[in-house]
Amino acid sequence: MSARDTIAAAISAIRVPDAVARHRAFEFQAHLTKPAGALGRLEELHIWAAGIRREATPVPGAAEIIVAAADAGVADERVSAYPQAVTAAMVRNFLDGGAAINVLARQAHARLTIVDCGVASDIDDARLVVCKRGFGAANITGGPAMTRDDAEALIAAGINIAAAAAGRGATAVGLGDMGIANTTSAAAMTALYTGTMPRDVAGRGTGVDDTGLRRKVAAIERALQVNAPTPNDPVGVVAALGGCETALLAGVILGGAAHGVPVVLDGYPTTAAALVATSMAPACREYLLASHLSAEPGHRHALAHLQLRPLLDLDLRLGEGTGAALALALLDAALRIPRGMATFASAAVPDKQQDAVLER
């Protein structure tokens, strides 16, 4: 199947979440031994997942975090405080279990899949999933990040990776990213989709100083001017401005939704991938959960455009899927609560309505 056919098939397979299952989940919450709404967003998570999983009390299952790693040519504009070689070094660190995401994935009991979709050097390790089309994206200040064919191939690869995760039994997928300078491309896409000025969506990323931040804003402005992408052509947008990881993760979102699997976003680059995916298939937005609000200023604009409310606000800006791992643990808790709690009837606890009868 061609990349274009793979994308079309995934989009056509995305179903609207089951409203009946959501309603039944809402009603079930009312019978648990607690005041209505007392568990706040944990109740919302249960109801949201029930619609996606198409059952009122979904069984907590296995989670998988997919971390896409790639290099970005815009790093040549000195928009990062770290050299590009860090990308490959961190991929090796992920594979060896030494990064923050490894710790948090273990805590969330989530499988960790590391994907090289455009690292600037080859990494010979059987534990690594490799689907690169080249050694990273081109410098977007001088032209497109990649060809349209490469963008479609990476999106299709992401769809297949999500399908493989679902085939392994994953009932939720978290997204992560690794790539020096990838918040620059994320900011460029956010500026385009939200109509926000580059200076308002560009942050300090790895910790650039004021001069580095000015270079970053200028790079985004040049990229938008040189490439002149249009929001109604999402493949064109990711080809013009995206990182290779953006394209791949957009595919993971589409593939997760096509297989009825909730998809948990991490920070800024993964949310930029969601901007692309929802532009390709608006129905997949119902499958997205925003794990946290990044310290990157543009992340707020991207989430607002997607109409997603983040679960956490911890000033995270690491990426790797760290926020997604934390949210997956909360999602697991939200699904365990209705299956483990007693109901008013089973515990012989008077509920609000029964109290009113007793008082009379």
Side-chain angles (χ1 to χ4, degrees), residues 253-278:
I253 292 169
L254 295 174
H259 285 83
V261 176
V263 179
V264 183
L265 304 178
D266 188 32
Y268 203 7
T270 68
T271 306
L275 293 173
V276 174
T278 55

Side-chain angles (χ1 to χ4, degrees), residues 100-122:
I101 185 54
N102 298 100
V103 176
L104 293 177
R106 287 193 291 267
Q107 182 186 29
H109 304 290
R111 176 190 175 101
L112 192 58
T113 297
I114 312 301
V115 182
D116 175 0
C117 57
V119 178
S121 59
D122 284 326

Side-chain angles (χ1 to χ4, degrees), residues 44-250:
E44 291 180 19
L45 283 180
H46 162 223
I47 295 165
W48 169 76
I52 293 172
R53 299 271 301 275
R54 315 187 87 79
E55 53 183 321
T57 54
V59 177
E64 184 160 338
I65 299 171
I66 297 164
V67 182
D71 279 302
V74 73
D76 293 344
E77 303 300 315
R78 295 182 297 153
V79 294
S80 172
Y82 286 83
Q84 203 168 42
V86 169
T87 302
M90 283 303 300
V91 168
R92 295 186 184 95
N93 194 24
F94 297 154
L95 295 171
D96 292 337
I101 185 54
N102 298 100
V103 176
L104 293 177
R106 287 193 291 267
Q107 182 186 29
H109 304 290
R111 176 190 175 101
L112 192 58
T113 297
I114 312 301
V115 182
D116 175 0
C117 57
V119 178
S121 59
D122 284 326
I123 300 170
D124 185 14
D125 195 306
R127 298 169 295 178
L128 184 65
V129 176
V130 180
C131 59
K132 67 205 302 177
R133 301 278 293 184
F135 293 109
N139 187 338
I140 57 176
T141 66
M146 65 194 83
T147 67
R148 192 178 187 92
D149 284 348
D150 284 348
E152 289 179 340
L154 288 168
I155 293 169
I159 290 169
N160 291 332
I161 287 169
R168 286 189 287 267
T171 56
V173 169
L175 306 186
D177 67 274
M178 178 63 220
I180 295 301
N182 67 4
T183 58
T184 302
S185 60
M189 286 183 283
T190 299
L192 177 70
Y193 275 111
T194 65
T196 309
M197 297 296 291
R199 64 174 178 269
D200 295 324
V201 294
R204 296 183 183 274
T206 51
V208 295
D209 58 17
D210 289 347
T211 301
L213 183 58
R214 286 193 292 271
R215 285 196 296 264
K216 189 171 185 176
V217 172
I220 295 166
E221 290 171 342
R222 287 200 304 276
L224 291 168
Q225 182 179 19
V226 167
N227 292 289
T230 57
N232 60 358
D233 177 16
V235 174
V237 170
V238 76
L241 303 175
C244 299
E245 75 287 347
T246 312
L248 185 109
L249 292 175

